[in-house]
Amino acid sequence: MTDRAIRVALVDDQALMRAGFRALLEAEDCIEVVGEASDGERGLELIRAHVPDIALIDVQMPVMTGIEATRHIAADPALSAVRVVILTNYGHDEYVFEALRAGASGFLLKDTEPADLLQAIEVVARGEALLSPAVTRTLIGEFVSRPPDRATAPGLECLTRREREVTALAARGLTNEEIAEHMVISPFTAKTHISRAMTKLGARDRAQLVVFAYESGLVAPRSADPAASG
C-alpha cells in the first residue's frame, strides 16, 4: 500500500445505510469517500467522474441494479482500476453469484462488523479478491450445485499444470500462503502462478479466477471431488 488514501464511492438506495458507511469510512485517515449515489445509474456517473479505488455497490437498486452497474464498470477500460464490492443483505443472495460473473471483486453482508468492513476495503485495495468468510461456503455451494458452463468458459489448455493446480486451490478458498504450504512452494511462487493464470484468462482479479475454475469444470462438486474432503 502507498501513503495515498483509499478512495471509495458509495452506491446504495438507502440513505441511512450510506450515511452509516460514510461515517465509518471517513473516521479513518487512510480512506476518502469521493461521493455517494442512490441508484446504479447515478452511481456509474459518480464512478466515471471520480474513478475511485473501491466502489461499494448495493446489489438491488432502482433505475440500474448493482449487477448492471458492475458490468458497465468491468467493460470500461477507463475504469479498469476500480474494484467493485457488492453489498447484500443475505449471504445466499442469488444475485451475488451473478455479480461475481459480472466482474465484482467480492461481496460483503450489510451487517458486517465495522472492523471487518475496514479490513475488506484494505484487502480489495491491495488487488485481492474479497469473499466474505461468513458466506463463502454458501456461495461455493451455489457454484458446485450447478453444471459447469464449459461453452462460455475460457479453455484450460492455456494454463500449465501448476497454474491449473493453484487456480483450483484458490477456488476452494485457500490463500497464497495456504496454497504454498499445500504445494510445497514459496508464497511468492504461488502468487506468481496465480498472476500468470489471471493474465492468461483475462481475469480482472482473484474473484474472476474463482468463477473461471467452477464454470470451466476445473473444480468439481464436492461430492465428486476427492481433494475437497482432504
Side-chain angles (χ1 to χ4, degrees):
M1 292 297 296
T2 66
D3 292 333
R4 183 177 68 83
I6 301 170
R7 304 171 69 251
V8 179
L10 301 173
V11 186
D12 194 300
D13 62 338
Q14 297 180 349
L16 187 59
M17 186 64 65
R18 294 198 309 272
F21 278 125
R22 178 184 277 274
L24 175 64
L25 297 177
E26 288 188 335
E28 300 295 312
D29 294 334
C30 62
I31 297 176
E32 173 192 354
V33 177
V34 300
E36 57 183 73
S38 59
D39 63 61
E41 188 173 276
R42 292 181 179 178
L44 191 56
E45 293 173 357
L46 171 71
I47 291 164
R48 283 173 172 160
H50 294 277
V51 193
D53 301 303
I54 308 291
L56 293 178
I57 302 181
D58 185 18
V59 71
Q60 292 177 289
M61 293 180 293
V63 185
M64 179 186 291
T65 68
I67 295 173
E68 290 177 275
T70 299
R71 287 196 185 102
H72 283 292
I73 293 169
D76 189 340
L79 303 179
S80 62
V82 178
R83 293 292 173 259
V84 174
V85 175
I86 291 293
L87 300 171
T88 177
N89 286 312
Y90 308 103
H92 60 273
D93 195 323
E94 63 183 89
Y95 297 109
V96 170
F97 187 81
E98 294 304 321
L100 288 176
R101 275 201 179 113
S105 295
F107 59 92
L108 279 174
L109 295 178
K110 287 190 176 183
D111 62 357
T112 294
E113 292 293 326
D116 291 337
L117 172 64
L118 296 174
Q119 182 181 24
I121 294 292
E122 294 180 0
V123 166
V124 177
R126 290 197 300 265
E128 299 176 24
L130 176 68
L131 299 178
S132 175
V135 289
T136 297
R137 289 199 176 277
T138 301
L139 176 68
I140 290 178
E142 285 294 313
F143 271 115
V144 301
S145 69
R146 307 177 187 192
D149 187 3
R150 294 184 178 87
T152 60
L156 288 173
E157 64 276 1
C158 66
L159 300 182
T160 66
R161 180 181 60 82
R162 284 299 225 185
E163 289 164 356
R164 293 187 193 188
E165 188 174 356
V166 297
T167 297
L169 292 172
R172 297 188 184 106
L174 273 66
T175 64
N176 287 344
E177 289 72 21
E178 290 168 337
I179 291 173
E181 182 178 355
H182 181 89
M183 297 178 64
V184 195
I185 57 178
S186 72
F188 176 79
T189 300
K191 182 178 181 180
T192 298
H193 285 315
I194 289 287
S195 296
R196 286 176 179 168
M198 287 169 51
T199 299
K200 289 181 179 181
L201 297 171
R204 280 168 60 89
D205 57 24
R206 200 181 185 99
Q208 297 306 295
L209 200 62
V210 171
V211 171
F212 163 77
Y214 284 101
E215 292 199 324
S216 67
L218 178 61
V219 177
R222 293 174 188 274
S223 60
D225 184 2
S229 60

